[in-house]
Amino acid sequence: MTTFEKNFTTEEYERRLAKTRAAMSKKGLDAIFVSDPSNMSWLTGYDGWSFYVFQGVILTLEGEPVWWGRAMDALGARRTVFMDGEDAIRGYDDTYVQNPDKHPMEDLAGLLGELGLEDKRIGVEMDNYYYSATAHECLKKKLSKATLKDVTGLVNWQRAVKSEREIEYMQRAARIVEAMHEQILEVAEPGMRKNDLIAEIYATGIRGAYGYWGDYPAIVPMAPSGLDATAPHLTWDDRPLEIGEATFFEIAGAHRRYQCPQSRTLFLGEVPQKYRDAEAAVLDAIEAGLEKAKPGNQAQDIANAFNATLNKAGFEKDSRCGYAIGISYPPDWGERTISFRRGDTSVLEPGMTFHFMPALWLDDGGLEITEPILITDDGHECLCSTPRELWVKG
Amino acid sequence: MTTFEKNFTTEEYERRLAKTRAAMSKKGLDAIFVSDPSNMSWLTGYDGWSFYVFQGVILTLEGEPVWWGRAMDALGARRTVFMDGEDAIRGYDDTYVQNPDKHPMEDLAGLLGELGLEDKRIGVEMDNYYYSATAHECLKKKLSKATLKDVTGLVNWQRAVKSEREIEYMQRAARIVEAMHEQILEVAEPGMRKNDLIAEIYATGIRGAYGYWGDYPAIVPMAPSGLDATAPHLTWDDRPLEIGEATFFEIAGAHRRYQCPQSRTLFLGEVPQKYRDAEAAVLDAIEAGLEKAKPGNQAQDIANAFNATLNKAGFEKDSRCGYAIGISYPPDWGERTISFRRGDTSVLEPGMTFHFMPALWLDDGGLEITEPILITDDGHECLCSTPRELWVKG
């Protein structure tokens, strides 16, 4: 939300549109309807917590994109998107909102018709959070002469290589997540209620760092302790931090919707040997993985090097160990394109950003030591300088 | 996340299942697959930030519900759901996650077959955030002998009347949002960066109040100022609070996933007459609406009384002015069932909870003064005691 200063220049949005249109043309599409909030924002600048109602961006092969959503959110669109045209923002009546008797897609079908697309080839993001099965059936029925094609991921893939300004925002988010981890290490102590610690994490993240304001992360802080940390996605309650338990902190700094996630693990009290062994194995495996993080290599090269090193030390991890990151909205801070795992042959390019996320779950806790990285011209750069080790206190 | 203390007794979950099964039987369904995280949690207790991958609860007419999701989240399910059975939790392989070559619904179809449902009538929530068009097509294809029926809202409607324990959690959330508003009034001042104020709001909300810990709200704090407040769903940046501007705070306290939203508006400096007029009109209209908030009346009665009073004072609001609230996960803290608007003939019952949300947008700002309410045996109760007025400072 920046009325006096847009997040990006109009030229940058135009470059994004051109890239996206090239991908559309390749697929023989006349238009796409984009409902992923991250894609909407990347294409137009739109920023608002309105994705709980149906909305999207219509992009044809020429002209300005069209923002479409609830009428009351059209005002927020006017304040955030780069487009100036009167017709670039179209709102639907409030009676369409969460009303079983009518569906917003009826309104969208009318608008697509008005734009001359009623018998055209239109791409829709069929496997997205904010495009439901009902939405698709309604649109298909109302636009019976059009051909609807699945373009899940089409815009996401255009986002993979970041611009200079995007990298700058991710670096600011990196400064913020560093500050969050510093604050954890500073204030966490035995007996502290978990929610009080989460409050500190949130406050630090949103105050920001080095004068860069903190935006909301696309996932809330995850900080399970002890046995709860054998499960990856539990959030928090008020149980106190205890001696003899590890707590992992899977958190992200965010700036202008750009996300920089990084995890660290804190052990309170004397560290059991198996945690030291796990730490040593993970640190070696991270080094092995990072060595493969360079242009021309494939995403799976990082995973394979990481896993081979981990296995040699007697540990196993059977889930992916990284994914692309950038601009994002809840419920996920990943880009849902490239994954670090066996079989992912995506080729790394300079300007791509990833969360290298080698979490290890043990029988009585979890260990997460992770690194957000940027692929550079001749290798990679870790976005954060947070000390890479198991933290110990108390 | 409560390993030593579940949020509800097994008996309460069993009452919920019985209610839901009655609704299923009425529709002639053999099973439902529920992917709305709020519904999953209400039916089983499951709590985790894992809804960015496909997951759900399968409920047949007998026996324990089955939690189904990503294998790594099965551990979190084991720690949060009320079911004990070994087969009540089923995880799918990590290679299904965000992989264009395979879809988790293939795994789900296999499980539904295993449960003897391959040729049965199965309800799915077709108009839900976490059930995509692709998910539906995949399931339809793999379960070609089954009949898939839309049950969007079926479980949500069972949630409308709250139990004693649920009301207790909402009252705790109410104490928390009161504390958040008190903190805003205490610390907000001209020149304060907006993100610093949001940091205070978050920290207060998560520390909680009266010893009740704060959970994450299903929507981030919205706090636009001045012209940005003419748009309802913008979030924040670092621009300072300014004399002569109104800022509205649309925030919620949360406890064990139960949400208590409440909004207030703060004006810095001398209040222009039109804000005083708007305040007077809204306060009168709230009173008029609340008079209709009692068992036996319809949801639209509140909206009609509110709007009639507002119109008499020369103001108009063309969007709904309230909605059902309770347990929730992002991206929405509403239950997506009953709305306070013309045409909604839902009958109010004791134990129902709503956010009466008469926001008013003016040409140069917004005014939100709202009340979360509980329908009682003979009327209603405001859940919060936050002073109902336009706040002024500076």
Side-chain angles (χ1 to χ4, degrees):
Chain A
M1 173 181 119
T2 45
T3 48
F4 51 79
E5 188 205 344
K6 304 275 182 209
N7 288 344
F8 298 97
T9 61
T10 296
E11 292 64 39
E12 179 151 355
Y13 287 114
E14 279 168 357
R15 279 194 296 275
R16 296 174 181 184
L17 298 181
K19 249 171 116 171
T20 306
R21 282 170 168 148
M24 288 163 58
S25 293
K26 230 169 157 176
K27 286 187 173 285
L29 296 167
D30 301 299
I32 55 175
F33 172 71
V34 169
S35 44
D36 182 321
S38 313
N39 291 338
M40 287 176 69
S41 184
W42 187 78
L43 287 172
T44 68
Y46 180 65
D47 184 22
W49 189 292
S50 54
F51 38 86
Y52 68 93
V53 296
F54 289 97
Q55 57 178 23
V57 166
I58 303 161
L59 182 67
T60 54
L61 295 172
E62 283 183 349
E64 285 193 321
V66 175
W67 181 97
W68 168 87
R70 187 181 186 179
M72 70 162 67
D73 293 317
L75 291 156
R78 185 59 71 198
R79 301 186 72 73
T80 53
V81 304
F82 81 91
M83 302 89 79
D84 289 324
E86 199 54 54
D87 287 340
I89 293 171
R90 304 292 291 260
Y92 60 79
D93 191 88
D94 210 68
T95 56
Y96 281 104
V97 174
Q98 299 176 1
N99 186 344
D101 297 330
K102 41 206 292 204
H103 201 284
M105 288 293 141
E106 299 164 14
D107 183 88
L108 177 67
L111 174 57
L112 291 171
E114 194 186 306
L115 296 172
L117 296 167
E118 72 280 4
D119 56 356
K120 294 289 192 281
R121 292 167 63 90
I122 305 170
V124 291
E125 298 173 304
M126 285 184 58
D127 209 11
N128 192 272
Y129 308 113
Y130 301 108
Y131 186 78
S132 72
T134 298
H136 187 61
E137 296 211 341
C138 178
L139 200 59
K140 243 186 353 194
K141 198 172 136 198
K142 290 276 165 187
L143 282 182
S144 55
K145 289 187 217 150
T147 308
L148 299 185
K149 290 278 174 189
D150 184 18
V151 292
T152 303
L154 182 142
V155 179
N156 304 58
W157 277 100
Q158 312 313 315
R159 289 159 41 194
V161 174
K162 307 296 182 284
S163 71
E164 266 180 51
R165 174 58 70 95
E166 287 182 296
I167 291 169
E168 191 183 328
Y169 289 167
M170 296 205 56
Q171 286 165 335
R172 294 180 186 179
R175 299 294 78 73
I176 293 172
V177 76
E178 284 169 1
M180 293 160 81
H181 280 301
E182 271 169 39
Q183 180 70 0
I184 291 168
L185 200 49
E186 169 83 22
V187 303
E189 56 178 20
M192 185 179 201
R193 295 190 312 167
K194 181 68 62 66
N195 60 309
D196 288 333
L197 181 52
I198 298 287
E200 295 278 343
I201 294 171
Y202 255 121
T204 305
I206 289 167
R207 277 187 205 113
Y210 295 91
Y212 304 128
W213 62 277
D215 205 340
Y216 60 91
I219 303 182
V220 296
M222 289 181 288
S225 300
L227 280 172
D228 281 337
T230 59
H233 296 124
L234 298 181
T235 48
W236 65 83
D237 59 13
D238 61 348
R239 271 172 295 165
L241 294 174
E242 280 183 28
I243 290 283
E245 280 189 345
T247 303
F248 71 72
F249 298 91
E250 187 171 342
I251 58 179
H255 181 71
R256 296 177 188 272
R257 304 306 320 131
Y258 282 78
Q259 311 279 313
C260 187
Q262 185 178 46
S263 307
R264 284 293 181 267
T265 304
L266 171 65
F267 200 98
L268 292 181
E270 204 181 325
V271 184
Q273 190 57 40
K274 77 172 160 190
Y275 275 83
R276 284 296 182 203
D277 294 345
E279 179 196 16
V282 165
L283 294 185
D284 279 355
I286 289 175
E287 288 292 350
L290 286 179
E291 260 179 49
K292 302 290 179 186
K294 56 184 174 192
N297 275 0
Q298 297 179 346
Q300 67 173 352
D301 294 336
I302 296 174
N304 292 342
F306 172 82
N307 284 322
T309 310
L310 201 66
N311 295 349
K312 250 189 278 174
F315 290 90
E316 275 208 43
K317 174 180 167 63
D318 61 359
S319 52
R320 64 179 181 163
C321 65
Y323 45 81
I325 51 173
I327 195 170
S328 203
Y329 285 82
D332 189 8
W333 56 41
E335 284 190 340
R336 298 187 296 286
T337 49
I338 303 169
S339 289
F340 293 168
R341 69 177 150 209
R342 193 174 47 247
D344 192 323
T345 58
S346 311
V347 175
L348 306 180
E349 292 177 50
M352 288 181 169
T353 45
F354 298 97
H355 187 202
F356 182 25
M357 213 284 178
L360 205 60
W361 288 284
L362 308 174
D363 57 347
D364 67 344
L367 182 73
E368 289 196 1
I369 299 177
T370 78
E371 293 294 352
I373 62 171
L374 164 70
I375 304 298
T376 58
D377 287 339
D378 53 1
H380 69 273
E381 185 184 300
C382 287
L383 287 166
C384 292
S385 62
T386 313
R388 191 188 302 160
E389 60 192 10
L390 173 66
W391 292 339
V392 183
K393 267 186 89 167
Chain B
M1 172 179 121
T2 46
T3 49
F4 53 80
E5 186 206 343
K6 303 275 183 208
N7 288 344
F8 297 97
T9 62
T10 296
E11 291 66 38
E12 179 151 356
Y13 287 114
E14 279 167 357
R15 280 194 295 273
R16 296 173 181 185
L17 297 182
K19 249 170 116 170
T20 306
R21 281 171 169 147
M24 289 163 58
S25 292
K26 229 168 159 177
K27 285 187 172 287
L29 295 168
D30 301 299
I32 54 175
F33 171 71
V34 169
S35 44
D36 182 321
S38 312
N39 291 338
M40 288 176 68
S41 185
W42 187 78
L43 287 171
T44 68
Y46 180 66
D47 183 23
W49 189 292
S50 55
F51 38 87
Y52 67 92
V53 297
F54 288 98
Q55 57 178 22
V57 166
I58 302 159
L59 181 67
T60 53
L61 294 172
E62 284 184 347
E64 285 192 321
V66 175
W67 180 97
W68 168 86
R70 187 180 186 179
M72 70 160 69
D73 293 317
L75 292 156
R78 184 60 73 198
R79 300 186 73 73
T80 52
V81 303
F82 81 91
M83 302 89 79
D84 288 325
E86 199 53 55
D87 288 340
I89 294 171
R90 305 291 293 260
Y92 60 79
D93 191 88
D94 210 68
T95 56
Y96 282 103
V97 175
Q98 298 176 359
N99 185 344
D101 297 332
K102 40 207 293 203
H103 202 283
M105 289 291 142
E106 299 164 13
D107 183 89
L108 177 67
L111 173 58
L112 291 171
E114 194 187 304
L115 296 173
L117 296 167
E118 73 279 4
D119 56 356
K120 295 288 192 280
R121 291 166 63 91
I122 306 171
V124 291
E125 297 172 306
M126 285 183 60
D127 209 11
N128 193 272
Y129 307 113
Y130 302 109
Y131 186 78
S132 71
T134 298
H136 187 62
E137 295 211 342
C138 178
L139 201 59
K140 243 185 354 193
K141 197 172 137 197
K142 290 276 167 187
L143 283 181
S144 55
K145 289 187 218 150
T147 309
L148 299 185
K149 290 276 175 191
D150 184 17
V151 292
T152 304
L154 183 143
V155 178
N156 305 58
W157 276 100
Q158 312 314 314
R159 289 159 41 195
V161 174
K162 307 295 182 286
S163 71
E164 267 181 50
R165 175 57 71 95
E166 287 182 295
I167 291 168
E168 191 182 329
Y169 289 167
M170 295 202 60
Q171 286 165 334
R172 293 180 186 180
R175 299 294 79 73
I176 294 172
V177 76
E178 283 169 2
M180 293 160 81
H181 280 302
E182 272 170 38
Q183 181 70 1
I184 291 168
L185 202 48
E186 170 82 23
V187 303
E189 56 177 21
M192 184 178 201
R193 295 191 311 167
K194 182 69 63 64
N195 61 308
D196 287 333
L197 181 52
I198 298 287
E200 295 278 342
I201 294 171
Y202 255 120
T204 305
I206 289 167
R207 278 188 204 113
Y210 295 90
Y212 304 128
W213 62 277
D215 206 341
Y216 60 91
I219 303 182
V220 296
M222 288 180 288
S225 301
L227 280 172
D228 281 337
T230 58
H233 296 123
L234 298 180
T235 48
W236 65 83
D237 60 13
D238 61 349
R239 271 172 294 164
L241 295 174
E242 281 183 28
I243 291 282
E245 280 189 343
T247 303
F248 71 72
F249 298 92
E250 186 170 343
I251 58 178
H255 180 71
R256 296 176 189 272
R257 303 305 320 128
Y258 282 78
Q259 310 280 311
C260 188
Q262 186 178 45
S263 307
R264 285 292 180 268
T265 303
L266 171 65
F267 200 98
L268 292 181
E270 204 181 325
V271 184
Q273 189 56 40
K274 77 173 159 190
Y275 275 84
R276 283 296 181 206
D277 295 344
E279 179 196 16
V282 165
L283 294 184
D284 279 353
I286 289 175
E287 287 293 349
L290 286 179
E291 260 179 50
K292 301 291 180 185
K294 55 184 175 193
N297 275 0
Q298 297 179 346
Q300 67 173 352
D301 294 337
I302 296 174
N304 292 342
F306 173 82
N307 283 322
T309 310
L310 202 65
N311 295 349
K312 250 189 281 175
F315 290 90
E316 274 208 44
K317 175 180 166 64
D318 61 358
S319 52
R320 63 179 182 164
C321 66
Y323 45 80
I325 51 172
I327 193 169
S328 203
Y329 286 81
D332 190 7
W333 56 42
E335 284 189 341
R336 298 187 297 286
T337 48
I338 303 169
S339 289
F340 293 169
R341 68 176 150 209
R342 194 176 45 247
D344 192 322
T345 58
S346 310
V347 176
L348 306 180
E349 292 178 50
M352 287 181 170
T353 45
F354 298 97
H355 187 202
F356 182 25
M357 213 283 179
L360 205 60
W361 286 285
L362 308 175
D363 57 346
D364 66 345
L367 181 71
E368 290 195 1
I369 299 177
T370 78
E371 293 294 352
I373 62 171
L374 164 69
I375 303 299
T376 58
D377 287 339
D378 53 2
H380 69 273
E381 184 184 301
C382 286
L383 286 166
C384 291
S385 61
T386 313
R388 192 188 301 160
E389 59 192 11
L390 173 66
W391 293 339
V392 183
K393 267 187 90 168

